[in-house]
Amino acid sequence: FAGYISQVLKNYTDHACDGEYVSLRCPHRTTISIQSSFYGRIVPSHQLCPSRYPHSYATLIKEDVACSVGTSLQKMLDECQDRRSCQFLVNSRLFGMDPCPGTGKYLLVWYKCRPNEYKSKVACEDDKLRLSCKKSMVIAIYSAIFGRTQGGSLECPYQNLGMPMIECQSATALQLMIKRCHGKRSCSIYASTYEFGDPCYPGIQKHLNVIYTCDNTPLLLPVDETEPPGLSSSSSSSSMEPVGVGTEMALLSNILAAYAFITENPERAALYFVSGVCIGLVLTLLALVLRVSCRTD
Protein backbone atom coordinates (compact mmCIF):
# COMPACT_ATOMS: atom_id res chain seq x y z
CA PHE A 1 0.00 0.00 0.00
CA ALA A 2 2.76 2.46 0.94
CA GLY A 3 4.72 1.51 -2.17
CA TYR A 4 1.76 2.08 -4.46
CA ILE A 5 0.84 5.39 -2.83
CA SER A 6 4.41 6.65 -3.06
CA GLN A 7 4.29 5.90 -6.79
CA VAL A 8 1.03 7.83 -7.20
CA LEU A 9 1.90 10.86 -5.10
CA LYS A 10 5.41 11.18 -6.43
CA ASN A 11 6.38 13.95 -8.84
CA TYR A 12 8.29 12.28 -11.66
CA THR A 13 11.07 13.89 -13.68
CA ASP A 14 12.49 12.33 -16.82
CA HIS A 15 14.85 13.55 -19.53
CA ALA A 16 16.27 12.42 -22.85
CA CYS A 17 18.91 13.86 -25.16
CA ASP A 18 18.49 14.31 -28.90
CA GLY A 19 18.50 10.90 -30.54
CA GLU A 20 17.35 9.07 -27.38
CA TYR A 21 13.97 7.67 -26.42
CA VAL A 22 11.93 9.22 -23.62
CA SER A 23 9.70 6.76 -21.78
CA LEU A 24 6.98 7.66 -19.25
CA ARG A 25 5.06 5.06 -17.25
CA CYS A 26 2.55 5.03 -14.40
CA PRO A 27 1.26 2.28 -12.03
CA HIS A 28 -1.85 0.24 -12.68
CA ARG A 29 -5.17 2.12 -12.70
CA THR A 30 -3.44 5.49 -13.10
CA THR A 31 -2.62 7.64 -16.11
CA ILE A 32 0.02 10.21 -16.98
CA SER A 33 -0.66 13.84 -16.06
CA ILE A 34 1.92 16.17 -17.63
CA GLN A 35 2.85 19.04 -15.30
CA SER A 36 5.53 20.83 -17.30
CA SER A 37 7.98 20.30 -20.15
CA PHE A 38 11.14 21.89 -21.60
CA TYR A 39 12.98 21.25 -24.85
CA GLY A 40 16.15 23.13 -25.70
CA ARG A 41 19.38 23.84 -23.82
CA ILE A 42 20.06 26.11 -20.85
CA VAL A 43 23.24 24.48 -19.51
CA PRO A 44 26.54 23.68 -21.28
CA SER A 45 26.86 20.27 -22.92
CA HIS A 46 29.51 19.08 -20.47
CA GLN A 47 26.89 19.29 -17.69
CA LEU A 48 24.00 17.58 -19.48
CA CYS A 49 23.72 15.60 -22.73
CA PRO A 50 27.27 15.96 -24.08
CA SER A 51 27.71 15.99 -27.83
CA ARG A 52 28.41 12.66 -29.52
CA TYR A 53 31.00 14.26 -31.73
CA PRO A 54 34.31 15.80 -30.58
CA HIS A 55 34.22 19.60 -30.42
CA SER A 56 36.98 22.12 -30.07
CA TYR A 57 36.98 24.58 -27.19
CA ALA A 58 36.07 27.39 -29.56
CA THR A 59 32.96 25.50 -30.70
CA LEU A 60 31.83 24.95 -27.09
CA ILE A 61 32.20 28.66 -26.39
CA LYS A 62 29.71 29.42 -29.18
CA GLU A 63 27.20 26.87 -27.89
CA ASP A 64 23.74 28.40 -27.39
CA VAL A 65 22.71 27.97 -23.74
CA ALA A 66 19.61 30.15 -23.99
CA CYS A 67 17.65 27.98 -26.38
CA SER A 68 14.09 26.79 -25.75
CA VAL A 69 11.07 25.66 -27.77
CA GLY A 70 7.65 26.91 -26.73
CA THR A 71 5.75 23.94 -28.17
CA SER A 72 7.29 21.27 -25.93
CA LEU A 73 4.44 21.24 -23.40
CA GLN A 74 1.74 20.89 -26.05
CA LYS A 75 3.72 18.13 -27.74
CA MET A 76 3.99 16.18 -24.48
CA LEU A 77 0.27 16.63 -23.84
CA ASP A 78 -0.52 15.30 -27.31
CA GLU A 79 1.79 12.31 -26.96
CA CYS A 80 1.35 11.21 -23.33
CA GLN A 81 -1.51 12.92 -21.48
CA ASP A 82 -4.07 10.47 -19.98
CA ARG A 83 -2.13 7.40 -21.11
CA ARG A 84 -0.69 4.60 -18.98
CA SER A 85 2.64 4.79 -20.80
CA CYS A 86 4.22 6.51 -23.79
CA GLN A 87 7.54 6.40 -25.59
CA PHE A 88 8.99 8.33 -28.55
CA LEU A 89 12.29 9.43 -30.07
CA VAL A 90 13.44 12.95 -29.15
CA ASN A 91 14.61 15.20 -32.00
CA SER A 92 14.10 18.81 -33.07
CA ARG A 93 11.69 17.89 -35.90
CA LEU A 94 9.03 16.89 -33.37
CA PHE A 95 8.80 20.39 -31.93
CA GLY A 96 8.59 22.49 -35.10
CA MET A 97 11.13 25.13 -36.04
CA ASP A 98 14.60 24.65 -34.54
CA PRO A 99 15.54 27.85 -32.63
CA CYS A 100 19.23 26.92 -32.36
CA PRO A 101 20.51 24.74 -35.23
CA GLY A 102 23.80 23.04 -34.52
CA THR A 103 23.23 22.99 -30.74
CA GLY A 104 22.45 19.64 -29.13
CA LYS A 105 19.23 19.85 -27.16
CA TYR A 106 17.40 17.75 -24.58
CA LEU A 107 13.88 17.18 -23.29
CA LEU A 108 12.88 17.54 -19.62
CA VAL A 109 9.44 16.33 -18.50
CA TRP A 110 7.71 16.69 -15.14
CA TYR A 111 4.61 14.54 -14.62
CA LYS A 112 2.44 12.79 -12.05
CA CYS A 113 0.33 9.64 -12.10
CA ARG A 114 -3.38 10.41 -11.73
CA PRO A 115 -5.93 7.77 -10.66
CA ASN A 116 -8.42 6.81 -13.37
CA GLU A 117 -11.33 7.61 -11.09
CA TYR A 118 -11.05 10.49 -8.66
CA LYS A 119 -13.11 13.10 -6.83
CA SER A 120 -12.48 16.78 -6.22
CA LYS A 121 -13.69 18.88 -3.29
CA VAL A 122 -13.21 22.57 -2.54
CA ALA A 123 -13.63 24.45 0.74
CA CYS A 124 -13.37 28.21 1.06
CA GLU A 125 -11.16 29.74 3.73
CA ASP A 126 -12.32 28.99 7.31
CA ASP A 127 -14.89 26.43 6.08
CA LYS A 128 -14.74 22.74 6.97
CA LEU A 129 -13.86 20.21 4.28
CA ARG A 130 -15.33 16.73 4.72
CA LEU A 131 -14.18 13.68 2.79
CA SER A 132 -15.88 10.31 3.01
CA CYS A 133 -16.02 6.98 1.22
CA LYS A 134 -18.53 4.18 1.25
CA LYS A 135 -18.29 1.31 3.69
CA SER A 136 -15.25 -0.93 3.16
CA MET A 137 -13.58 1.78 1.06
CA VAL A 138 -10.79 4.13 2.14
CA ILE A 139 -9.50 7.54 1.09
CA ALA A 140 -6.35 7.91 -1.01
CA ILE A 141 -5.24 11.54 -1.35
CA TYR A 142 -3.86 12.44 -4.77
CA SER A 143 -3.23 16.18 -4.47
CA ALA A 144 -4.06 19.10 -2.18
CA ILE A 145 -3.71 22.85 -2.72
CA PHE A 146 -4.28 25.51 -0.09
CA GLY A 147 -3.86 29.10 -1.17
CA ARG A 148 -4.81 31.10 -4.22
CA THR A 149 -4.51 29.83 -7.78
CA GLN A 150 -4.22 31.96 -10.89
CA GLY A 151 -7.54 30.78 -12.28
CA GLY A 152 -9.34 31.13 -8.96
CA SER A 153 -12.19 28.87 -7.83
CA LEU A 154 -15.83 28.87 -8.94
CA GLU A 155 -16.91 27.66 -5.50
CA CYS A 156 -15.01 30.45 -3.73
CA PRO A 157 -15.13 33.64 -5.85
CA TYR A 158 -12.57 36.23 -4.81
CA GLN A 159 -13.58 39.72 -3.81
CA ASN A 160 -11.80 42.34 -5.85
CA LEU A 161 -10.00 44.47 -3.29
CA GLY A 162 -7.69 46.10 -5.77
CA MET A 163 -5.00 43.43 -5.33
CA PRO A 164 -3.45 41.73 -8.37
CA MET A 165 -4.32 38.10 -9.21
CA ILE A 166 -1.22 36.41 -7.81
CA GLU A 167 -0.71 32.72 -7.16
CA CYS A 168 0.40 31.45 -3.76
CA GLN A 169 0.19 27.91 -2.38
CA SER A 170 1.11 26.12 0.82
CA ALA A 171 4.06 23.77 0.51
CA THR A 172 2.75 21.41 3.24
CA ALA A 173 -0.89 21.03 2.18
CA LEU A 174 -0.44 17.61 0.58
CA GLN A 175 1.54 16.17 3.50
CA LEU A 176 -1.04 17.43 6.00
CA MET A 177 -3.98 15.98 4.05
CA ILE A 178 -2.22 12.63 3.79
CA LYS A 179 -1.59 12.62 7.54
CA ARG A 180 -5.20 13.53 8.38
CA CYS A 181 -7.17 11.53 5.82
CA HIS A 182 -5.09 8.93 4.05
CA GLY A 183 -6.31 5.35 4.62
CA LYS A 184 -9.45 6.45 6.52
CA ARG A 185 -13.08 6.03 5.55
CA SER A 186 -13.94 9.63 6.45
CA CYS A 187 -12.20 12.73 7.77
CA SER A 188 -12.66 16.49 8.11
CA ILE A 189 -10.35 19.50 8.28
CA TYR A 190 -10.75 23.27 8.34
CA ALA A 191 -9.41 25.24 5.38
CA SER A 192 -7.70 27.74 7.65
CA THR A 193 -4.31 29.33 8.09
CA TYR A 194 -4.21 27.72 11.55
CA GLU A 195 -3.99 24.30 9.87
CA PHE A 196 -1.95 25.12 6.76
CA GLY A 197 -0.18 28.37 7.58
CA ASP A 198 -0.56 31.46 5.41
CA PRO A 199 1.28 31.14 2.09
CA CYS A 200 -0.09 34.46 0.81
CA TYR A 201 0.04 38.08 1.82
CA PRO A 202 -2.40 39.11 4.60
CA GLY A 203 -5.91 39.80 3.33
CA ILE A 204 -5.75 37.49 0.30
CA GLN A 205 -8.63 35.02 0.19
CA LYS A 206 -7.64 31.38 -0.05
CA HIS A 207 -9.30 28.02 -0.63
CA LEU A 208 -8.52 24.33 -0.17
CA ASN A 209 -8.81 22.02 -3.18
CA VAL A 210 -8.36 18.28 -2.60
CA ILE A 211 -8.36 15.54 -5.23
CA TYR A 212 -8.79 12.03 -3.86
CA THR A 213 -10.09 8.61 -4.76
CA CYS A 214 -12.00 5.88 -2.91
CA ASP A 215 -11.01 2.28 -3.39
CA ASN A 216 -11.92 -0.94 -1.65
CA THR A 217 -8.72 -2.51 -2.99
CA PRO A 218 -6.09 0.19 -2.51
CA LEU A 219 -3.32 -2.37 -2.23
CA LEU A 220 -2.45 -2.18 -5.89
CA LEU A 221 0.89 -3.32 -7.20
CA PRO A 222 3.52 -0.63 -7.82
CA VAL A 223 5.25 -0.17 -11.13
CA ASP A 224 7.21 -3.22 -12.19
CA GLU A 225 10.64 -1.78 -12.95
CA THR A 226 11.57 -4.89 -14.94
CA GLU A 227 8.71 -4.40 -17.39
CA PRO A 228 9.86 -3.03 -20.77
CA PRO A 229 8.70 0.57 -21.33
CA GLY A 230 5.60 1.06 -23.38
CA LEU A 231 4.12 -2.34 -22.52
CA SER A 232 0.93 -2.51 -20.47
CA SER A 233 0.73 -5.17 -17.81
CA SER A 234 -2.68 -6.25 -19.08
CA SER A 235 -1.18 -7.59 -22.27
CA SER A 236 1.38 -9.72 -20.46
CA SER A 237 -0.74 -10.90 -17.52
CA SER A 238 -1.69 -14.53 -17.34
CA SER A 239 -4.97 -15.99 -16.19
CA MET A 240 -3.03 -18.22 -13.79
CA GLU A 241 -2.20 -16.04 -10.78
CA PRO A 242 -0.08 -17.19 -7.82
CA VAL A 243 -2.18 -18.97 -5.25
CA GLY A 244 -1.01 -16.85 -2.31
CA VAL A 245 -1.59 -13.46 -3.90
CA GLY A 246 -5.35 -13.30 -3.26
CA THR A 247 -4.94 -14.45 0.34
CA GLU A 248 -2.21 -11.92 1.05
CA MET A 249 -4.24 -9.09 -0.49
CA ALA A 250 -7.30 -10.06 1.57
CA LEU A 251 -5.19 -10.16 4.74
CA LEU A 252 -3.71 -6.74 4.06
CA SER A 253 -7.17 -5.33 3.29
CA ASN A 254 -8.47 -6.69 6.61
CA ILE A 255 -5.53 -5.13 8.45
CA LEU A 256 -6.23 -1.78 6.80
CA ALA A 257 -9.94 -2.00 7.68
CA ALA A 258 -9.06 -2.81 11.31
CA TYR A 259 -6.73 0.19 11.45
CA ALA A 260 -9.46 2.46 10.08
CA PHE A 261 -11.92 1.13 12.70
CA ILE A 262 -9.46 1.77 15.55
CA THR A 263 -8.76 5.35 14.44
CA GLU A 264 -12.47 6.12 14.11
CA ASN A 265 -13.56 4.35 17.33
CA PRO A 266 -10.67 4.54 19.83
CA GLU A 267 -12.90 4.05 22.91
CA ARG A 268 -14.52 0.87 21.58
CA ALA A 269 -11.16 -0.45 20.42
CA ALA A 270 -9.69 0.15 23.89
CA LEU A 271 -12.68 -1.62 25.50
CA TYR A 272 -12.28 -4.62 23.22
CA PHE A 273 -8.57 -4.77 23.95
CA VAL A 274 -9.00 -4.63 27.74
CA SER A 275 -11.81 -7.21 27.58
CA GLY A 276 -9.62 -9.55 25.55
CA VAL A 277 -6.75 -9.20 28.03
CA CYS A 278 -9.07 -9.91 31.00
CA ILE A 279 -10.56 -12.99 29.33
CA GLY A 280 -7.08 -14.25 28.54
CA LEU A 281 -5.99 -13.81 32.15
CA VAL A 282 -9.07 -15.62 33.44
CA LEU A 283 -8.50 -18.56 31.08
CA THR A 284 -4.83 -18.73 32.08
CA LEU A 285 -5.77 -18.74 35.77
CA LEU A 286 -8.31 -21.53 35.23
CA ALA A 287 -5.70 -23.60 33.40
CA LEU A 288 -3.23 -23.16 36.26
CA VAL A 289 -5.85 -24.13 38.84
CA LEU A 290 -6.78 -27.27 36.88
CA ARG A 291 -3.11 -28.23 36.52
CA VAL A 292 -2.40 -27.80 40.26
CA SER A 293 -5.54 -29.74 41.26
CA CYS A 294 -4.68 -32.59 38.88
CA ARG A 295 -1.15 -32.86 40.33
CA THR A 296 -2.57 -32.90 43.89
CA ASP A 297 -5.06 -35.68 43.03
Side-chain angles (χ1 to χ4, degrees):
F1 181 61
Y4 169 76
I5 291 302
S6 66
Q7 295 284 344
V8 174
L9 299 178
K10 179 180 176 182
N11 288 312
Y12 291 85
T13 303
D14 203 353
H15 83 281
C17 309
D18 276 342
E20 297 179 350
Y21 282 92
V22 62
S23 179
L24 312 183
R25 289 187 301 144
C26 280
H28 303 281
R29 299 178 67 177
T30 65
T31 54
I32 297 170
S33 176
I34 301 296
Q35 305 295 304
S36 184
S37 175
F38 170 84
Y39 178 72
R41 177 169 291 279
I42 55 175
V43 296
S45 58
H46 67 272
Q47 295 183 10
L48 182 62
C49 292
S51 175
R52 299 179 180 180
Y53 307 100
H55 288 279
S56 64
Y57 181 76
T59 304
L60 294 176
I61 289 296
K62 297 178 182 179
E63 187 176 45
D64 191 349
V65 292
C67 171
S68 63
V69 177
T71 59
S72 63
L73 177 58
Q74 187 59 48
K75 180 63 178 177
M76 291 304 305
L77 292 173
D78 295 339
E79 293 288 338
C80 302
Q81 184 74 359
D82 296 330
R83 297 184 181 183
R84 166 84 194 287
S85 64
C86 70
Q87 182 181 27
F88 59 89
L89 184 66
V90 177
N91 58 69
S92 59
R93 293 188 298 274
L94 289 174
F95 301 96
M97 185 177 296
D98 191 344
C100 48
T103 297
K105 292 169 282 294
Y106 51 84
L107 174 67
L108 291 172
V109 183
W110 294 267
Y111 69 99
K112 295 185 70 173
C113 295
R114 179 173 57 194
N116 294 337
E117 297 180 3
Y118 59 90
K119 303 178 182 180
S120 178
K121 275 201 172 183
V122 177
C124 304
E125 188 173 4
D126 295 329
D127 289 345
K128 180 183 284 188
L129 179 72
R130 293 183 177 89
L131 305 180
S132 62
C133 293
K134 296 179 181 179
K135 189 176 180 180
S136 77
M137 304 183 79
V138 296
I139 299 170
I141 301 295
Y142 170 67
S143 69
I145 296 175
F146 178 75
R148 184 173 185 171
T149 56
Q150 192 69 30
S153 171
L154 296 177
E155 295 86 352
C156 308
Y158 298 131
Q159 298 178 1
N160 188 2
L161 302 177
M163 302 188 69
M165 287 294 295
I166 60 175
E167 184 172 341
C168 47
Q169 299 178 14
S170 170
T172 60
L174 178 59
Q175 288 81 0
L176 181 57
M177 289 304 303
I178 292 175
K179 182 179 179 180
R180 289 291 187 87
C181 301
H182 203 65
K184 298 181 180 179
R185 194 170 68 85
S186 63
C187 68
S188 61
I189 190 171
Y190 280 96
S192 65
T193 55
Y194 176 78
E195 296 281 2
F196 298 93
D198 195 345
C200 308
Y201 289 106
I204 294 180
Q205 295 174 297
K206 295 165 285 291
H207 69 274
L208 174 62
N209 185 8
V210 178
I211 297 177
Y212 69 102
T213 182
C214 294
D215 204 332
N216 55 359
T217 55
L219 302 169
L220 303 178
L221 297 177
V223 175
D224 182 7
E225 298 298 335
T226 61
E227 181 184 357
L231 296 179
S232 173
S233 61
S234 60
S235 62
S236 60
S237 61
S238 172
S239 59
M240 297 181 63
E241 297 182 356
V243 177
V245 171
T247 305
E248 292 177 0
M249 298 295 283
L251 178 60
L252 292 173
S253 299
N254 291 334
I255 293 174
L256 186 62
Y259 174 76
F261 175 82
I262 293 173
T263 54
E264 293 181 4
N265 305 276
E267 294 85 4
R268 293 178 62 183
L271 178 61
Y272 292 156
F273 176 78
V274 173
S275 301
V277 172
C278 292
I279 293 174
L281 292 175
V282 170
L283 293 176
T284 303
L285 182 61
L286 290 176
L288 290 174
V289 171
L290 289 175
R291 184 175 181 180
V292 171
S293 61
C294 289
R295 284 186 174 182
T296 303
D297 292 341

